[in-house]
Amino acid sequence: MIRILLIEPMNLLRGALAATLSLEEDLDVVAELDTLDQAPAMARAVPPDVAVVNVALLAGDGLDTIARLTAEQPGCATLLLAGPDDSGLLNRALTLRTDGVVGTQAAPCELVRGIRRLVRGERVIDASLAVAMVAAPRSPLSPRELNVLSVAASGVPSTEVAAELHLSTGTVRNYISAILRKTGARNRLEAVRLAEGAGWFQ
């Protein structure tokens, strides 16, 4: 049996995926989660062969969590579920030990086939998503601007951002203005969401 850890935030979709996978004689969904937080602990409790993860969960510190899971469970392959708008996150995720990606528009049989291929040691990359990843927009922000934005992402005021980065408050405001101009965002929060969605944060 191929043991599967399913991590999907939408209850309805998670239930449908679990039901579909469980219809296969060689697949067993051993655990379901709606967030990545508990994934490493769950994988220790019920070691899976494949973790099926919605790529949207990799935003923020999700990449660190999935990296920890794969480090602790070297026998567990990681299969991401992603749409064409997730190319930025996918590009970042594939720099880690991510073994495959299947599109959310794929037929259920494609997901099943992908899981089986991963267990055989093959890499699985959805062709349509590969094209989207190549065409994904590159960051217009400098490394320093991305650094400022990543600190500002926590919602702290410019004075605290300045203190953490050893900059003046005026310099931080200038960086934020440049970030908004380059991204077309209306405010810091929108710029953060844009950067996270595009996978610009390292």
Side-chain angles (χ1 to χ4, degrees), residues 26-47:
D26 60 336
L27 304 184
D28 180 21
V29 179
V30 294
E32 300 174 39
L33 296 171
D34 59 358
T35 68
L36 269 177
D37 299 346
Q38 298 301 314
M42 183 61 74
R44 288 192 295 271
V46 286

PDB file of all heavy atoms in Angstrom, residues 26-47:
ATOM      1  N   ASP A  26      -4.399   0.315  -4.144  1.00  0.00           N
ATOM      2  CA  ASP A  26      -3.026   0.402  -3.643  1.00  0.00           C
ATOM      3  C   ASP A  26      -2.724   1.706  -2.918  1.00  0.00           C
ATOM      4  O   ASP A  26      -1.579   1.973  -2.555  1.00  0.00           O
ATOM      5  CB  ASP A  26      -2.032   0.208  -4.794  1.00  0.00           C
ATOM      6  CG  ASP A  26      -2.201   1.253  -5.884  1.00  0.00           C
ATOM      7  OD1 ASP A  26      -3.308   1.818  -6.010  1.00  0.00           O
ATOM      8  OD2 ASP A  26      -1.234   1.506  -6.625  1.00  0.00           O
ATOM      9  N   LEU A  27      -3.749   2.566  -2.712  1.00  0.00           N
ATOM     10  CA  LEU A  27      -3.539   3.856  -2.043  1.00  0.00           C
ATOM     11  C   LEU A  27      -4.292   3.896  -0.724  1.00  0.00           C
ATOM     12  O   LEU A  27      -5.439   3.460  -0.633  1.00  0.00           O
ATOM     13  CB  LEU A  27      -4.004   5.012  -2.936  1.00  0.00           C
ATOM     14  CG  LEU A  27      -3.394   5.127  -4.336  1.00  0.00           C
ATOM     15  CD1 LEU A  27      -3.897   6.392  -5.024  1.00  0.00           C
ATOM     16  CD2 LEU A  27      -1.877   5.118  -4.276  1.00  0.00           C
ATOM     17  N   ASP A  28      -3.646   4.458   0.291  1.00  0.00           N
ATOM     18  CA  ASP A  28      -4.266   4.578   1.614  1.00  0.00           C
ATOM     19  C   ASP A  28      -3.972   5.971   2.173  1.00  0.00           C
ATOM     20  O   ASP A  28      -2.805   6.310   2.416  1.00  0.00           O
ATOM     21  CB  ASP A  28      -3.696   3.504   2.549  1.00  0.00           C
ATOM     22  CG  ASP A  28      -4.301   3.559   3.943  1.00  0.00           C
ATOM     23  OD1 ASP A  28      -5.400   4.127   4.099  1.00  0.00           O
ATOM     24  OD2 ASP A  28      -3.669   3.024   4.879  1.00  0.00           O
ATOM     25  N   VAL A  29      -5.015   6.791   2.339  1.00  0.00           N
ATOM     26  CA  VAL A  29      -4.849   8.124   2.929  1.00  0.00           C
ATOM     27  C   VAL A  29      -4.776   7.936   4.446  1.00  0.00           C
ATOM     28  O   VAL A  29      -5.783   7.708   5.108  1.00  0.00           O
ATOM     29  CB  VAL A  29      -6.003   9.068   2.545  1.00  0.00           C
ATOM     30  CG1 VAL A  29      -5.814  10.435   3.199  1.00  0.00           C
ATOM     31  CG2 VAL A  29      -6.090   9.218   1.025  1.00  0.00           C
ATOM     32  N   VAL A  30      -3.561   8.027   4.982  1.00  0.00           N
ATOM     33  CA  VAL A  30      -3.365   7.730   6.403  1.00  0.00           C
ATOM     34  C   VAL A  30      -3.637   8.936   7.301  1.00  0.00           C
ATOM     35  O   VAL A  30      -3.849   8.779   8.501  1.00  0.00           O
ATOM     36  CB  VAL A  30      -1.938   7.203   6.673  1.00  0.00           C
ATOM     37  CG1 VAL A  30      -1.739   5.851   5.995  1.00  0.00           C
ATOM     38  CG2 VAL A  30      -0.877   8.193   6.217  1.00  0.00           C
ATOM     39  N   ALA A  31      -3.641  10.146   6.720  1.00  0.00           N
ATOM     40  CA  ALA A  31      -3.927  11.340   7.521  1.00  0.00           C
ATOM     41  C   ALA A  31      -4.306  12.491   6.597  1.00  0.00           C
ATOM     42  O   ALA A  31      -3.842  12.580   5.459  1.00  0.00           O
ATOM     43  CB  ALA A  31      -2.720  11.731   8.372  1.00  0.00           C
ATOM     44  N   GLU A  32      -5.171  13.379   7.125  1.00  0.00           N
ATOM     45  CA  GLU A  32      -5.584  14.573   6.400  1.00  0.00           C
ATOM     46  C   GLU A  32      -5.367  15.784   7.306  1.00  0.00           C
ATOM     47  O   GLU A  32      -5.700  15.749   8.493  1.00  0.00           O
ATOM     48  CB  GLU A  32      -7.069  14.504   6.032  1.00  0.00           C
ATOM     49  CG  GLU A  32      -7.463  13.334   5.162  1.00  0.00           C
ATOM     50  CD  GLU A  32      -8.970  13.277   4.977  1.00  0.00           C
ATOM     51  OE1 GLU A  32      -9.607  14.346   4.819  1.00  0.00           O
ATOM     52  OE2 GLU A  32      -9.524  12.161   5.018  1.00  0.00           O
ATOM     53  N   LEU A  33      -4.817  16.868   6.744  1.00  0.00           N
ATOM     54  CA  LEU A  33      -4.595  18.103   7.479  1.00  0.00           C
ATOM     55  C   LEU A  33      -5.050  19.283   6.638  1.00  0.00           C
ATOM     56  O   LEU A  33      -5.040  19.221   5.405  1.00  0.00           O
ATOM     57  CB  LEU A  33      -3.101  18.270   7.814  1.00  0.00           C
ATOM     58  CG  LEU A  33      -2.459  17.241   8.738  1.00  0.00           C
ATOM     59  CD1 LEU A  33      -0.945  17.449   8.774  1.00  0.00           C
ATOM     60  CD2 LEU A  33      -3.051  17.333  10.140  1.00  0.00           C
ATOM     61  N   ASP A  34      -5.418  20.379   7.323  1.00  0.00           N
ATOM     62  CA  ASP A  34      -5.797  21.582   6.578  1.00  0.00           C
ATOM     63  C   ASP A  34      -4.707  22.654   6.610  1.00  0.00           C
ATOM     64  O   ASP A  34      -4.818  23.685   5.959  1.00  0.00           O
ATOM     65  CB  ASP A  34      -7.123  22.156   7.085  1.00  0.00           C
ATOM     66  CG  ASP A  34      -7.086  22.525   8.562  1.00  0.00           C
ATOM     67  OD1 ASP A  34      -6.033  22.307   9.210  1.00  0.00           O
ATOM     68  OD2 ASP A  34      -8.098  23.035   9.066  1.00  0.00           O
ATOM     69  N   THR A  35      -3.643  22.420   7.388  1.00  0.00           N
ATOM     70  CA  THR A  35      -2.499  23.341   7.422  1.00  0.00           C
ATOM     71  C   THR A  35      -1.212  22.514   7.446  1.00  0.00           C
ATOM     72  O   THR A  35      -1.231  21.319   7.729  1.00  0.00           O
ATOM     73  CB  THR A  35      -2.515  24.253   8.670  1.00  0.00           C
ATOM     74  OG1 THR A  35      -2.273  23.447   9.830  1.00  0.00           O
ATOM     75  CG2 THR A  35      -3.842  24.993   8.814  1.00  0.00           C
ATOM     76  N   LEU A  36      -0.102  23.199   7.181  1.00  0.00           N
ATOM     77  CA  LEU A  36       1.198  22.514   7.198  1.00  0.00           C
ATOM     78  C   LEU A  36       1.792  22.400   8.597  1.00  0.00           C
ATOM     79  O   LEU A  36       2.698  21.601   8.827  1.00  0.00           O
ATOM     80  CB  LEU A  36       2.195  23.275   6.311  1.00  0.00           C
ATOM     81  CG  LEU A  36       2.297  22.862   4.850  1.00  0.00           C
ATOM     82  CD1 LEU A  36       3.264  23.775   4.116  1.00  0.00           C
ATOM     83  CD2 LEU A  36       2.750  21.416   4.729  1.00  0.00           C
ATOM     84  N   ASP A  37       1.292  23.194   9.536  1.00  0.00           N
ATOM     85  CA  ASP A  37       1.907  23.273  10.867  1.00  0.00           C
ATOM     86  C   ASP A  37       2.137  21.910  11.509  1.00  0.00           C
ATOM     87  O   ASP A  37       3.183  21.655  12.093  1.00  0.00           O
ATOM     88  CB  ASP A  37       1.041  24.125  11.811  1.00  0.00           C
ATOM     89  CG  ASP A  37       0.889  25.560  11.324  1.00  0.00           C
ATOM     90  OD1 ASP A  37       1.657  25.951  10.423  1.00  0.00           O
ATOM     91  OD2 ASP A  37       0.013  26.271  11.839  1.00  0.00           O
ATOM     92  N   GLN A  38       1.126  21.059  11.408  1.00  0.00           N
ATOM     93  CA  GLN A  38       1.201  19.762  12.077  1.00  0.00           C
ATOM     94  C   GLN A  38       1.778  18.661  11.207  1.00  0.00           C
ATOM     95  O   GLN A  38       1.873  17.504  11.642  1.00  0.00           O
ATOM     96  CB  GLN A  38      -0.197  19.344  12.559  1.00  0.00           C
ATOM     97  CG  GLN A  38      -0.822  20.283  13.571  1.00  0.00           C
ATOM     98  CD  GLN A  38       0.036  20.412  14.818  1.00  0.00           C
ATOM     99  OE1 GLN A  38       0.511  19.415  15.358  1.00  0.00           O
ATOM    100  NE2 GLN A  38       0.248  21.634  15.275  1.00  0.00           N
ATOM    101  N   ALA A  39       2.180  18.996   9.981  1.00  0.00           N
ATOM    102  CA  ALA A  39       2.629  17.974   9.035  1.00  0.00           C
ATOM    103  C   ALA A  39       3.846  17.187   9.522  1.00  0.00           C
ATOM    104  O   ALA A  39       3.841  15.946   9.461  1.00  0.00           O
ATOM    105  CB  ALA A  39       2.890  18.594   7.670  1.00  0.00           C
ATOM    106  N   PRO A  40       4.914  17.839  10.019  1.00  0.00           N
ATOM    107  CA  PRO A  40       6.062  17.048  10.483  1.00  0.00           C
ATOM    108  C   PRO A  40       5.693  16.081  11.611  1.00  0.00           C
ATOM    109  O   PRO A  40       6.120  14.919  11.590  1.00  0.00           O
ATOM    110  CB  PRO A  40       7.054  18.120  10.961  1.00  0.00           C
ATOM    111  CG  PRO A  40       6.714  19.330  10.146  1.00  0.00           C
ATOM    112  CD  PRO A  40       5.211  19.293  10.048  1.00  0.00           C
ATOM    113  N   ALA A  41       4.900  16.558  12.575  1.00  0.00           N
ATOM    114  CA  ALA A  41       4.497  15.690  13.690  1.00  0.00           C
ATOM    115  C   ALA A  41       3.615  14.546  13.201  1.00  0.00           C
ATOM    116  O   ALA A  41       3.776  13.392  13.635  1.00  0.00           O
ATOM    117  CB  ALA A  41       3.763  16.504  14.753  1.00  0.00           C
ATOM    118  N   MET A  42       2.694  14.842  12.292  1.00  0.00           N
ATOM    119  CA  MET A  42       1.817  13.801  11.765  1.00  0.00           C
ATOM    120  C   MET A  42       2.612  12.772  10.974  1.00  0.00           C
ATOM    121  O   MET A  42       2.363  11.565  11.066  1.00  0.00           O
ATOM    122  CB  MET A  42       0.740  14.419  10.872  1.00  0.00           C
ATOM    123  CG  MET A  42      -0.274  13.417  10.338  1.00  0.00           C
ATOM    124  SD  MET A  42      -1.218  12.587  11.646  1.00  0.00           S
ATOM    125  CE  MET A  42      -2.332  13.928  12.140  1.00  0.00           C
ATOM    126  N   ALA A  43       3.597  13.254  10.218  1.00  0.00           N
ATOM    127  CA  ALA A  43       4.421  12.332   9.431  1.00  0.00           C
ATOM    128  C   ALA A  43       5.245  11.421  10.333  1.00  0.00           C
ATOM    129  O   ALA A  43       5.526  10.272   9.976  1.00  0.00           O
ATOM    130  CB  ALA A  43       5.326  13.118   8.486  1.00  0.00           C
ATOM    131  N   ARG A  44       5.640  11.929  11.509  1.00  0.00           N
ATOM    132  CA  ARG A  44       6.354  11.071  12.457  1.00  0.00           C
ATOM    133  C   ARG A  44       5.425  10.009  13.029  1.00  0.00           C
ATOM    134  O   ARG A  44       5.831   8.871  13.286  1.00  0.00           O
ATOM    135  CB  ARG A  44       6.959  11.911  13.591  1.00  0.00           C
ATOM    136  CG  ARG A  44       8.158  12.751  13.167  1.00  0.00           C
ATOM    137  CD  ARG A  44       8.894  13.341  14.360  1.00  0.00           C
ATOM    138  NE  ARG A  44       8.090  14.306  15.105  1.00  0.00           N
ATOM    139  CZ  ARG A  44       8.052  15.600  14.835  1.00  0.00           C
ATOM    140  NH1 ARG A  44       8.755  16.095  13.822  1.00  0.00           N
ATOM    141  NH2 ARG A  44       7.318  16.420  15.568  1.00  0.00           N
ATOM    142  N   ALA A  45       4.164  10.388  13.234  1.00  0.00           N
ATOM    143  CA  ALA A  45       3.200   9.462  13.833  1.00  0.00           C
ATOM    144  C   ALA A  45       2.757   8.381  12.844  1.00  0.00           C
ATOM    145  O   ALA A  45       2.618   7.210  13.215  1.00  0.00           O
ATOM    146  CB  ALA A  45       1.981  10.241  14.339  1.00  0.00           C
ATOM    147  N   VAL A  46       2.504   8.792  11.604  1.00  0.00           N
ATOM    148  CA  VAL A  46       2.047   7.842  10.580  1.00  0.00           C
ATOM    149  C   VAL A  46       2.896   8.063   9.323  1.00  0.00           C
ATOM    150  O   VAL A  46       2.456   8.731   8.391  1.00  0.00           O
ATOM    151  CB  VAL A  46       0.546   8.008  10.269  1.00  0.00           C
ATOM    152  CG1 VAL A  46      -0.305   7.461  11.379  1.00  0.00           C
ATOM    153  CG2 VAL A  46       0.173   9.468  10.015  1.00  0.00           C
ATOM    154  N   PRO A  47       4.113   7.554   9.292  1.00  0.00           N
ATOM    155  CA  PRO A  47       5.042   7.846   8.192  1.00  0.00           C
ATOM    156  C   PRO A  47       4.422   7.571   6.817  1.00  0.00           C
ATOM    157  O   PRO A  47       4.059   6.430   6.521  1.00  0.00           O
ATOM    158  CB  PRO A  47       6.222   6.902   8.468  1.00  0.00           C
ATOM    159  CG  PRO A  47       6.147   6.614   9.928  1.00  0.00           C
ATOM    160  CD  PRO A  47       4.687   6.597  10.255  1.00  0.00           C
TER     161      PRO A  47
END
